[in-house]
Amino acid sequence: MTTHQIESVAVVGAGALGGMYAAHFVEGGLRTSLVASGERAARLRDQGVRVNGRPLTAAVVTPLDDDPHAVDLVLVAVKHHQLRDALEDVAPFVGPRTTLVSVLNGLESEHALAERFAPEQVLACIALGMAAGREGAEITYLSPGRLSLGTTDELGTADRLEAVQGALTTAGLAWEAPADMAHEMWWKFMVNTAINQSSAVLRAPYADFTHDGPARSLMLALVDEVVAVAAAEGITLDEHDRERWDEVLASLPGEGHTSMLQDVLAGRPTEVALFADHVLALGARHGVETPYNQSMSWILTGGRSPRP
C-alpha cells in the first residue's frame, strides 16, 4: 500500500506538550491548527500562545466552524479528564485517512480513541524525555524529548506508522519504533507512576531522584509495585527496564518538574486516577499488595495538593 504523506496536522490541547509539538509542526512547514471550543478557543484566538518566546502561528479552529476539513494527523495532548470532550471537539476534523496519536499518560487513551474512531486509525505512542511547562500564554521547553510509536495487534497499520514517522522527521522531532509497543507502554506507565506521583507528593525536582535518599526510595517502591502488577498482567519489566529509566532520568534537567508536580503547584487536578488508582485496581484483581500507591491515592485524590 502506498504511504499517504502527511501535510496537515490538528493538535487538540494547547498546553505545554501540545504547544511544543504544534510549534515544531509549524516550523516543519506542515499546515497546523489548534482545535478547541468555547472559552478555550476564544482565549487562544484573543491571547495566542508563545513557545520559547516566539508566537505560535497555528490557526485556531473549532468544531462549530462552517467548513471543517479532515486533516492527515491528529495529535491529542490534553489531560486525561479532558479526553472525552476533546474527542468530540476533534471529530469533525477526522476522516477515513486521518491518523490519530495520543501523547497522554497512562494506558487508556489509545483505547478511548479506538472506540470513538477506528482502531486502525490509532497508533500506540508514548512521549519520553520532555522538559516543558506552561505559564499563562507562555510555553517553554528545554527538551522536546522523543516519541516512541508503533502498532499493536489491535491498533494502527504499518503505512500509517511510516507516514507519521515522516511527519515527525519533517518537524524535527525525534522518534523511535520499538518492536514491542505493549512492553514499551507498560515501561512508560511504570516510569510515570513512580516519578510523577513521588515528585508531586514531595514537591521535588528530577535531581532529587537521581541519588540515594528518601525521594529515590519512594520512587523505587512505586516502581516495584508496578513491576508486580505488570507481571500479573503477563508483562515482564526487568532490571534492564529499571536501568533504562535511570538513564533517562539522568538526562533530564535536574531543576525540571514533572507534569504532575506542575499541576500540584498550579492547584490543578492531578492524574492520580491514571496511575495509583489503576495500580490499585490491578492489585485488587490479582491479589497484589500496593500500599505505596494506596498512599499516593490518599494524598492526591480529588486534585487536592499535598500540604507543604
Side-chain angles (χ1 to χ4, degrees), residues 197 201 260 269-273 276-277 280 293-306:
Q197 296 186 130
V201 167
M260 186 176 279
T270 72
E271 295 183 318
V272 66
D277 292 352
L280 292 174
N293 276 280
Q294 179 65 79
S295 296
M296 298 298 98
S297 182
W298 281 333
I299 295 170
L300 295 167
T301 289
R304 294 188 296 273
S305 301

Side-chain angles (χ1 to χ4, degrees), residues 31-32 43 58 63 100 114 120 131 151-152 154 177 182 223 245 250 253 261 278 308:
R31 296 195 306 275
T32 306
R43 185 169 61 251
L100 298 104
E120 64 270 16
T151 62
T152 69
E154 297 83 20
V223 164
W245 166 231
L261 176 54
H278 193 63

Side-chain angles (χ1 to χ4, degrees), residues 66-293:
D66 292 337
D67 188 23
H69 295 285
V71 298
D72 299 320
L73 172 64
V74 167
L75 184 86
V76 181
V78 297
K79 292 293 187 179
H80 180 73
H81 66 275
Q82 301 167 324
L83 180 58
R84 295 293 176 181
D85 289 342
L87 295 188
E88 296 311 311
D89 284 349
V90 83
F93 305 96
V94 176
R97 300 211 306 186
T98 304
T99 299
L100 298 104
V101 171
S102 166
V103 293
L104 273 67
N105 290 324
L107 297 169
E108 303 171 9
S109 63
E110 280 84 4
H111 297 294
L113 288 167
E115 289 175 3
R116 178 60 181 82
F117 302 107
E120 64 270 16
Q121 292 184 265
V122 181
L123 293 177
C125 177
I126 60 174
L128 301 165
M130 310 81 59
R134 177 172 177 171
E135 291 290 337
E138 297 288 335
I139 294 171
T140 57
Y141 68 90
L142 299 174
S143 169
R146 68 184 188 279
L147 295 172
S148 288
L149 302 109
T151 62
T152 69
D153 290 342
E154 297 83 20
L155 299 175
T157 61
D159 58 308
R160 289 178 183 273
L161 176 60
E162 183 180 347
V164 173
Q165 290 168 343
L168 296 177
T169 298
T170 297
L173 290 165
W175 57 267
E176 60 187 13
D180 187 347
M181 272 305 296
H183 178 274
E184 196 74 2
M185 295 182 77
W186 267 95
W187 177 80
K188 182 62 185 302
F189 179 68
M190 176 191 79
V191 167
N192 276 331
T193 298
I195 189 64
N196 269 285
Q197 296 186 130
S198 54
S199 68
V201 167
L202 298 176
R203 300 194 175 201
Y206 289 119
D208 288 15
F209 300 91
T210 60
H211 56 82
D212 291 340
R216 183 169 175 83
S217 293
L218 176 58
M219 179 187 75
L220 294 178
L222 292 166
V223 164
D224 288 342
E225 291 186 357
V226 176
V227 170
V229 296
E233 288 281 297
I235 301 292
T236 299
L237 296 168
D238 58 21
E239 193 61 32
H240 173 66
D241 294 307
R242 296 171 185 264
E243 292 171 357
R244 283 179 62 206
W245 166 231
D246 273 337
E247 291 171 2
V248 173
L249 179 59
S251 73
L252 296 171
E255 71 279 12
H257 290 175
T258 66
S259 59
M260 186 176 279
L261 176 54
Q262 292 178 47
D263 288 339
V264 164
L265 294 176
R268 297 187 293 259
T270 72
E271 295 183 318
V272 66
L274 287 181
F275 304 135
D277 292 352
H278 193 63
V279 172
L280 292 174
L282 292 173
R285 180 189 305 168
H286 297 292
V288 176
E289 295 293 325
T290 54
Y292 288 96
N293 276 280

Side-chain angles (χ1 to χ4, degrees), residues 6-32:
I6 290 174
E7 298 177 348
S8 57
V9 183
V11 177
V12 55
L17 291 190
M20 179 187 72
Y21 291 129
H24 278 79
F25 288 129
V26 169
E27 287 296 315
L30 299 171
R31 296 195 306 275
T32 306

